[in-house]
């Protein structure tokens, strides 16, 4: 994330309660004086401790760091405290999450708001971008999202919750899981009138979706240019709890089960023998253990089998795949085994997440969030070079920009998977040979190891960027 | 509007209205449930444990 001179993060400008800034490579959050009372309540009421214990809020420590320097404004006076939150290994965005990741983020948000209400506070925003996956759990990372609850007031974040979570989840569940990509276009969540239009008629029989999406969209339209004067105490605590529980049960009832997608059953349909598979796993594990990367990106990680081999080295491993079904399965394994250093994400390598938002600087592109220490590109090169026609030298440059170390598998034309890709098209790839591949990658990398994968025609390489 | 202080994000007029109407309706349910608990207590039926401890595993 690009930063102005004081190190303030470019995505951190909306809330006057404070902002994030980086100094000497460490991320701090400045708490402004205007937020002092709310911050004190968060810490003193026991809410902070309770949420941290439940793995719902990122832990932080208070520091004696000087506030961020802003010469022109009275920021120095505005500052109340500087806190240092636990570092998040990899920032991901809702359009990169599988169905259950978005659902868990939604449920975490509601659970946090409910717990806050019990201790006299309320969650003042329900942005999906405030949730990150930390140690395998959906966690709120914005410590300044709480405010003192005043009974009688409605939930200011209701609209945001419906747009960021409920609408996309309903669309993914009732229409098509790929509609999560609408979040990439609409940074403040899916517009409810659009969701209402796209959802099938039967969702109007579901009380939660009828009220929170369909009727909600209608009233938004009716009152779009009118200011409303509400009388004081218009919404009791009981009504608030009723609302939250309704949202909670509506979200819980939304489900999505991966059907037979292109890759859903990939490992059952590979041309690998067990021994080739095991050999590959062994090599990935061995090379990761040898190079000790802190951050590994598995590019084309499918359900995360090889990501897990790399993660054994202790590295935080992000397992990217284009198939939402594979990512969903991967996430279910993370949850089941309570894995803390693996993050599955949906990503199309041929069209990776761009930088979006105000001034192209609110959400980082895929590339800006790197480089990693090691990248894995296993059984993926033929998809990029042949299905997507990317010339080998460009592929080499792409991978060289991602990580210092690259573990890459070359899949030759004689391989049945490549034959399948070429069966319905002209072979315009004369350089797609082992020699052509090595020549292209030697421009960017030094090849440290090249091992033929047992019982196959494939070769696994360990390379280091030049 | 009677937010104090005013929120830094616009909650949206339409979103406030629908939320208040729906919440009022749902609040009745919560109230009935709450008093149902105390009625049950009168007959010596133990109330369920605070859901604080049960919803720990939301994700």
């Amino acid at each position: 994330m690009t930063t102005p001179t004081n190190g303030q993060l470019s995505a951190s400008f909306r809330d006057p309660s404070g902002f994030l800034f980086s100094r000497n490579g460490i991320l701090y959050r400045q708490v402004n004086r205007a937020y002092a009372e709310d911050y004190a309540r968060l810490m003193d009421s026991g809410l902070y401790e309770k949420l941290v214990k439940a793995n719902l809020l990122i832990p932080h420590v208070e520091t004696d760091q000087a506030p961020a320097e802003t010469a022109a404004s009275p920021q120095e006076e505005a500052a109340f405290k500087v806190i240092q939150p636990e570092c998040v290994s990899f920032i991901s965005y809702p359009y990169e999450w599988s169905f259950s990741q978005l659902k868990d983020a939604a449920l975490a948000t509601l659970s946090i708001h409910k717990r806050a209400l019990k201790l006299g506070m309320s969650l003042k925003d329900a942005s999906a971008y405030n949730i990150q996956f930390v140690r395998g759990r959906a966690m709120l990372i914005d410590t300044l999202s709480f405010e003192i609850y005043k009974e009688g007031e409605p939930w200011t974040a209701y609209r945001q919750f419906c747009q960021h979570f409920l609408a996309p989840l309903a669309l993914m569940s009732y229409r098509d899981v790929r509609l999560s990509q609408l979040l990439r276009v609409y940074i403040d969540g899916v517009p409810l009138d659009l969701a209402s239009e796209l959802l099938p008629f039967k969702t109007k029989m579901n009380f939660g979706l009828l009220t929170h999406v369909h009727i909600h969209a209608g009233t938004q339209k009716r009152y779009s240019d009118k200011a409303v004067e509400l009388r004081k105490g218009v919404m009791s605590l009981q009504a608030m709890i009723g609302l939250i529980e309704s949202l909670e049960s509506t979200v819980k009832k939304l489900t999505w089960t991966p059907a037979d997608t292109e890759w859903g059953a990939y490992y059952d349909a590979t041309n690998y023998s067990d021994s080739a598979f095991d050999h590959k796993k062994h090599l990935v594990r061995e090379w990761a253990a040898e190079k000790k990367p802190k951050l590994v990106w598995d590019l084309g990680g499918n359900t995360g089998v090889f990501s897990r081999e790399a993660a054994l080295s202790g590295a935080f491993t992000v397992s990217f795949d284009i198939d939402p079904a594979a990512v969903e399965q991967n996430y279910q394994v993370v949850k089941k085994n309570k894995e803390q250093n693996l993050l599955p994400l949906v990503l199309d390598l041929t069209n990776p997440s761009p930088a979006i938002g105000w001034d192209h600087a609110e959400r980082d592109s895929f590339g800006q969030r790197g480089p990693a220490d090691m990248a894995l590109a296993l059984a993926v090169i033929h998809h990029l070079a042949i299905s997507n026609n990317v010339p080998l030298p460009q592929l080499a440059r792409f991978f060289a920009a991602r990580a210092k170390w690259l573990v890459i598998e070359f899949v030759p034309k004689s391989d049945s998977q490549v034959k399948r890709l070429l069966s319905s098209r002209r072979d315009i790839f004369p350089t797609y040979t082992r020699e052509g591949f090595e020549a292209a990658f030697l421009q960017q990398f030094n090849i440290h190891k090249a091992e033929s994968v047992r019982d196959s025609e494939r070769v696994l390489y360990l390379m280091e960027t030049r | 509007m009677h937010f104090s202080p005013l929120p830094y994000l616009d909650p949206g007029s339409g979103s406030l209205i629908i939320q208040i109407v729906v919440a009022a309706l749902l609040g009745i349910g919560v109230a009935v449930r709450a008093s149902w608990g105390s009625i049950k207590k009168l007959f010596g039926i133990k109330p369920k444990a605070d859901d604080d401890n049960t919803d720990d595993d939301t994700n």
Side-chain angles (χ1 to χ4, degrees), chain A residues 301-373:
Chain A
N302 200 272
T303 56
V305 172
F306 298 102
S307 311
R308 284 181 173 80
E309 297 297 327
L312 284 175
S313 70
F316 187 87
T317 306
V318 191
S319 189
F320 297 98
D321 202 90
I322 189 173
D323 178 15
V327 177
E328 175 73 19
Q329 281 185 36
N330 196 347
Y331 179 62
Q332 294 302 342
V333 176
V334 167
K335 276 178 74 162
K336 190 171 147 236
N337 300 339
K338 298 192 186 328
E339 291 166 332
Q340 305 209 346
N341 60 344
L342 204 128
L343 174 63
L345 292 176
V346 178
L347 187 88
D348 178 358
L349 281 175
T350 66
N351 180 21
S353 306
I356 63 168
W358 174 248
D359 207 11
H360 312 289
E362 279 190 75
R363 312 292 164 221
D364 283 346
S365 71
F366 161 68
Q368 283 169 317
R369 283 172 278 166
D373 303 306

Side-chain angles (χ1 to χ4, degrees), chain A residues 247-258:
Chain A
L247 289 169
E248 209 167 35
S249 80
T250 309
V251 169
K252 276 186 182 160
K253 275 186 232 146
L254 294 172
T255 54
W256 179 69
T257 321

Side-chain angles (χ1 to χ4, degrees), chain A residues 1 42 44 48-49 112 176 270 284 317 326 348 378 394 419 437 458:
Chain A
M1 241 170 262
L42 170 69
D44 301 342
Y48 168 82
E49 206 190 317
I112 292 163
D176 194 306
T270 51
V284 171
T317 306
D348 178 358
L378 307 170
Q394 284 201 33
K419 278 185 182 152
F437 166 79
R458 304 177 168 203

Side-chain angles (χ1 to χ4, degrees), chain B residues 33-55:
Chain B
R33 199 180 56 198
S35 44
W36 186 240
S38 51
I39 293 165
K40 282 206 288 193
K41 229 189 261 173
L42 275 180
F43 291 93
I45 301 166
K46 271 191 196 163
K48 270 198 276 175
D50 192 337
D51 72 341
D52 237 23
N53 304 320
T54 54
D55 66 357

